[in-house]
């Protein structure tokens, strides 16, 4: 009689053939054994900055099965303040990735699992199930499409008929596309594999030339018939139907701005604007640019000639004014005190947050210790921070510690602005565009005449709970004095 041997931890037993079918779907246990010494460690997302609780996975530098060494890059994450590259602390093999690109990772949660060779830690994980029974949500291969998200319609209906129509030789000889490096959807990648096509052979009709599913269908029909097919779906849609609305989830930087601006609603803003004559300052900058010898001598710490603009001189003039009105360079501490009242923390160091417009949103890197810098070093540091902000490479330390904020709206072309205070700071100034305006001037003979002047509008906002209008007005006039007489600003430098 036909029989089958079934293994159990302690005995061998036989089963008649008639009942084999009832056991075919049973999950049997195998011989027990001592747990294998392995060293699979969860690699945790460390705290990358003050107040940061989660980050978005921008890109992975590794995939499952890769061997990494200490300090090799693992991934790049984007917080609400900066972009940070995460590197490996171990030598070993990547066993699994816990997040896909674009997903949010909590600080302190595992980013991936890494098999650290020779560590000798005890791993009591159960035997790995077979692929047919596996449902491991955290084990993600980020270089392959997610089969659960792939579209089934067109491929399931027509794959048998259309695959036979395409020559077998073209499928075998055609180079396979690098799907991980091309921006497509999982459904598109599946269709490419179904038909044995390379994505470089298909002309995309989506945004920025992205290949869509109907592009592949059209390409297959062209191969079968030898005649180009008009994309009826695209032409009909563009002629008769408007574009569909998009629901856009805020990324970390706009989300942080949402929280900051929501908090600013509790601050009573006091607004003050005044016009500053920048004619003398413009003449100084013009002479600096025209004097090639002077420009070559004035360099930054790296020996590079400094490009001089209005901004670094305005920042230095602000610092000089804050020496006289230090209460403007302050932070409001609303934490509970013994008397239940908030406190005003007047900062000794002039740390100016410089608002920078970037492709990812508004960022505010910080120029520390303006009072100890020259105009040229301020220009060099401001240029460096602006470049890092637009490239998304600011470190967390370059985003912290601001005591006063400057918004250079004039670089875009604006004049009047009502800047919003970033708590816990108590003041901010917006710099308008420097432009030519007509003005009246009395010459040496006492004759009034119209002359061309360069002027800019400075717009101030202050927390009216702790700063009064008179203090802001006097501080603003002090700034104007230094800007209108730049030769005095040079005498005051340390």
């Amino acid at each position: 009689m036909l029989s089958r041997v079934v293994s159990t931890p302690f005995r061998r037993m036989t089963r008649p053939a008639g009942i084999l079918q009832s056991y075919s779907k049973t999950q049997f246990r195998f011989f027990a054994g001592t747990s294998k010494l392995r060293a699979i460690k969860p690699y945790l997302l460390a705290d990358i900055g003050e107040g940061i609780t989660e980050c978005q996975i921008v890109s992975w530098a590794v995939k499952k099965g890769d061997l990494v060494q200490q300090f090799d890059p693992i991934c790049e994450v984007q917080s609400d303040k900066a972009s940070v590259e995460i590197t490996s602390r171990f030598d070993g093999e990547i066993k699994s990735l816990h997040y896909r690109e674009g997903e949010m990772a909590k600080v302190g949660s595992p980013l991936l699992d890494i098999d650290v060779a020779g560590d000798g830690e005890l791993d009591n994980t159960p035997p790995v199930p077979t692929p047919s029974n596996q449902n491991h949500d955290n084990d993600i291969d980020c270089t392959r499409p997610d089969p659960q998200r792939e579209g089934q319609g067109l491929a399931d209906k027509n794959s048998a008929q259309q695959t036979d129509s395409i020559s077998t030789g073209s499928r075998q000889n055609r180079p396979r596309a690098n799907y991980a490096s091309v921006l497509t959807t999982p459904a598109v990648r599946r269709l490419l594999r179904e038909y044995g096509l390379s994505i470089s052979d298909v002309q995309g009709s989506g945004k920025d030339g992205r290949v869509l599913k109907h592009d592949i269908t059209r390409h297959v029909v062209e191969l079968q018939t030898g005649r180009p097919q008009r994309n009826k779906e695209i032409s009909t849609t563009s002629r008769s139907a408007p574009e569909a609305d998009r629901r856009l989830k805020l990324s970390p930087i706009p989300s942080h701005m949402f929280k900051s601006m929501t908090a600013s609603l509790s601050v009573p803003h006091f607004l003050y604007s005044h016009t500053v004559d920048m004619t003398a300052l413009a003449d100084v900058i013009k002479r600096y640019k025209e004097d090639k010898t002077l420009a070559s001598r004035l360099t930054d710490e790296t020996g590079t000639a400094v490009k001089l603009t209005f901004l670094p001189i305005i920042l230095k003039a602000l610092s000089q004014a804050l020496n006289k009105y230090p209460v403007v360079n302050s932070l409001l501490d609303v934490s509970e005190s013994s008397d239940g009242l908030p406190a005003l923390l007047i900062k000794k160091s002039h740390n100016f947050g410089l608002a920078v417009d970037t492709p990812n949103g508004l960022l505010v890197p910080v120029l520390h210790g303006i009072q100890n810098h020259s105009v040229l070093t301020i220009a060099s540091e401001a240029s460096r921070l602006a470049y890092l902000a637009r490239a998304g490479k600011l470190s967390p330390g370059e985003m912290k510690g601001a005591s006063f904020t400057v918004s250079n709206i004039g670089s875009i072309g604006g004049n009047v602005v009502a800047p919003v205070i970033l708590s816990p700071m108590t003041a901010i100034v917006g710099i308008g565009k420097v432009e030519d305006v007509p003005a009246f001037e009395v010459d040496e003979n006492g004759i009034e005449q119209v002359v061309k002047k360069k002027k800019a509008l400075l717009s101030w906002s202050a927390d009216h709970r702790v700063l009064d209008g008179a203090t802001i007005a006097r501080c603003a006039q002090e700034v104007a004095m230094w800007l209108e007489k730049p030769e005095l600003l040079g005498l005051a430098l340390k």
Side-chain angles (χ1 to χ4, degrees), residues 171-220:
R171 172 180 297 181
Q172 295 176 349
N173 298 328
R174 191 181 304 276
R176 184 171 296 273
N178 183 7
Y179 299 109
S181 63
V182 180
L183 186 60
T184 58
T185 63
V188 169
R189 297 179 185 179
R190 172 177 176 166
L191 287 178
L192 290 170
R193 291 196 304 272
E194 290 282 346
Y195 297 123
L197 297 175
S198 171
I199 196 170
S200 61
D201 295 337
V202 182
Q203 182 177 1
S205 61
K207 183 179 180 181
D208 298 328
R210 181 180 297 185
V211 175
L212 306 179
K213 290 202 295 184
H214 60 259
D215 295 326
I216 301 176
T217 304
R218 184 181 69 252
H219 184 75
V220 171

Side-chain angles (χ1 to χ4, degrees), residues 54-319:
E54 62 179 5
C55 297
Q56 184 180 42
I57 305 297
V58 176
S59 63
W60 285 103
V62 297
K63 62 182 181 297
K64 182 179 178 181
D66 282 355
L67 298 177
V68 296
Q69 296 180 341
Q70 192 175 12
F71 304 119
D72 282 353
I74 290 180
C75 66
E76 182 180 359
V77 299
Q78 174 73 59
S79 71
D80 54 9
K81 297 181 179 180
S83 177
V84 179
E85 184 182 72
I86 305 296
T87 58
S88 176
R89 298 193 297 271
F90 312 106
D91 296 345
E93 179 184 352
I94 303 298
K95 306 303 290 184
S96 64
L97 307 179
H98 289 262
Y99 296 94
R100 292 186 175 88
E101 292 182 358
E103 292 183 339
M104 302 299 296
K106 297 287 186 182
V107 170
S109 65
L111 277 176
L112 51 83
D113 291 333
I114 182 170
D115 190 348
V116 183
D119 192 88
E121 290 187 0
L122 184 61
D123 182 14
N124 293 319
T125 55
V128 180
T130 60
S132 60
N133 297 327
Q134 187 172 3
N135 185 18
H136 191 186
D137 294 336
N138 289 333
D139 189 6
I140 300 173
D141 186 352
C142 294
T143 65
R144 298 180 180 176
D146 186 356
Q148 297 179 358
R149 300 183 182 179
E150 293 178 350
Q152 301 292 332
L154 180 62
D156 292 341
K157 292 180 181 179
N158 303 325
S159 60
Q161 300 175 359
Q162 296 182 350
T163 303
D164 294 339
S165 302
I166 301 175
S167 64
T168 305
S170 63
R171 172 180 297 181
Q172 295 176 349
N173 298 328
R174 191 181 304 276
R176 184 171 296 273
N178 183 7
Y179 299 109
S181 63
V182 180
L183 186 60
T184 58
T185 63
V188 169
R189 297 179 185 179
R190 172 177 176 166
L191 287 178
L192 290 170
R193 291 196 304 272
E194 290 282 346
Y195 297 123
L197 297 175
S198 171
I199 196 170
S200 61
D201 295 337
V202 182
Q203 182 177 1
S205 61
K207 183 179 180 181
D208 298 328
R210 181 180 297 185
V211 175
L212 306 179
K213 290 202 295 184
H214 60 259
D215 295 326
I216 301 176
T217 304
R218 184 181 69 252
H219 184 75
V220 171
V221 174
E222 290 176 356
L223 291 177
Q224 294 173 346
T225 63
R227 293 177 297 176
Q229 300 292 313
R230 183 181 177 186
N231 193 336
K232 298 181 180 180
E233 180 179 346
I234 293 298
S235 60
T236 303
T237 302
S238 60
R239 182 174 63 252
S240 59
E243 292 185 2
D245 296 337
R246 292 192 304 157
R247 183 179 180 87
L248 183 63
K249 185 178 180 180
L250 294 181
S251 58
I253 293 177
S255 296
H256 178 69
M257 183 172 65
F258 173 83
K259 297 175 184 178
S260 300
M261 294 300 100
T262 301
S264 71
L265 294 175
S266 62
V267 178
H269 285 56
F270 170 78
L271 306 178
Y272 178 84
S273 299
H274 65 119
T275 302
V276 180
D277 187 350
M278 310 288 279
T279 306
L281 186 55
D283 185 59
V284 171
I285 296 176
K286 180 181 178 181
R287 283 185 284 139
Y288 172 82
K289 293 180 178 179
E290 291 177 348
D291 192 334
K292 302 300 182 182
T293 303
L294 179 63
S296 63
R297 290 180 179 176
L298 299 178
T299 59
D300 59 17
E301 296 177 352
T302 64
T304 305
V306 176
K307 180 181 178 182
L308 187 60
T309 62
F310 288 99
L311 180 61
I313 303 177
I314 294 174
L315 296 180
K316 192 61 183 180
L318 281 167
S319 179

Side-chain angles (χ1 to χ4, degrees), residues 179-483:
Y179 299 109
S181 63
V182 180
L183 186 60
T184 58
T185 63
V188 169
R189 297 179 185 179
R190 172 177 176 166
L191 287 178
L192 290 170
R193 291 196 304 272
E194 290 282 346
Y195 297 123
L197 297 175
S198 171
I199 196 170
S200 61
D201 295 337
V202 182
Q203 182 177 1
S205 61
K207 183 179 180 181
D208 298 328
R210 181 180 297 185
V211 175
L212 306 179
K213 290 202 295 184
H214 60 259
D215 295 326
I216 301 176
T217 304
R218 184 181 69 252
H219 184 75
V220 171
V221 174
E222 290 176 356
L223 291 177
Q224 294 173 346
T225 63
R227 293 177 297 176
Q229 300 292 313
R230 183 181 177 186
N231 193 336
K232 298 181 180 180
E233 180 179 346
I234 293 298
S235 60
T236 303
T237 302
S238 60
R239 182 174 63 252
S240 59
E243 292 185 2
D245 296 337
R246 292 192 304 157
R247 183 179 180 87
L248 183 63
K249 185 178 180 180
L250 294 181
S251 58
I253 293 177
S255 296
H256 178 69
M257 183 172 65
F258 173 83
K259 297 175 184 178
S260 300
M261 294 300 100
T262 301
S264 71
L265 294 175
S266 62
V267 178
H269 285 56
F270 170 78
L271 306 178
Y272 178 84
S273 299
H274 65 119
T275 302
V276 180
D277 187 350
M278 310 288 279
T279 306
L281 186 55
D283 185 59
V284 171
I285 296 176
K286 180 181 178 181
R287 283 185 284 139
Y288 172 82
K289 293 180 178 179
E290 291 177 348
D291 192 334
K292 302 300 182 182
T293 303
L294 179 63
S296 63
R297 290 180 179 176
L298 299 178
T299 59
D300 59 17
E301 296 177 352
T302 64
T304 305
V306 176
K307 180 181 178 182
L308 187 60
T309 62
F310 288 99
L311 180 61
I313 303 177
I314 294 174
L315 296 180
K316 192 61 183 180
L318 281 167
S319 179
Q320 288 297 117
L322 293 183
N323 286 332
K324 188 173 182 179
Y325 299 96
V327 69
V328 180
N329 188 56
S330 60
L331 305 178
L332 183 61
D333 184 4
V334 295
S335 60
E336 292 293 334
S337 58
S338 58
D339 55 5
L341 296 176
L344 194 62
L345 178 62
I346 299 177
K347 301 293 290 184
K348 183 177 180 181
S349 180
H350 299 167
N351 302 333
F352 291 173
L354 184 61
V356 178
D357 179 37
T358 75
N360 297 321
L362 183 67
L363 292 177
V364 187
V366 181
L367 287 80
H368 294 269
I370 294 291
Q371 75 281 0
N372 298 324
H373 282 274
S374 68
V375 171
L376 295 179
T377 57
I378 293 173
S380 177
E381 181 68 2
S383 177
R384 184 186 72 86
L385 291 176
Y387 170 78
L388 293 177
R390 295 187 180 98
K393 300 299 182 182
L394 286 169
S395 67
E398 291 166 331
M399 301 281 288
K400 296 189 299 184
S403 58
F404 186 87
T405 311
V406 178
S407 176
N408 187 20
I409 193 66
S411 61
I412 301 177
N415 287 315
V416 182
V417 63
V420 181
I421 301 169
L422 299 177
S423 298
M425 288 176 279
T426 59
I428 181 175
V429 64
I431 304 171
K433 179 182 179 181
V434 179
E435 57 185 359
D436 296 330
V437 297
F440 289 103
E441 187 177 75
V442 179
D443 62 14
E444 56 185 11
N445 299 320
I447 300 176
E448 194 175 67
Q449 57 183 354
V450 178
V451 297
K452 183 173 69 174
K453 295 280 188 180
K454 286 189 176 293
K455 293 190 176 183
L457 189 69
L458 301 188
S459 303
W460 299 68
S461 291
D463 189 339
H464 214 349
R465 295 174 296 181
V466 291
L467 295 177
D468 57 78
T471 301
I472 294 298
R474 293 189 181 100
C475 183
Q477 294 306 316
E478 184 75 8
V479 172
M481 187 273 295
W482 290 113
L483 293 177

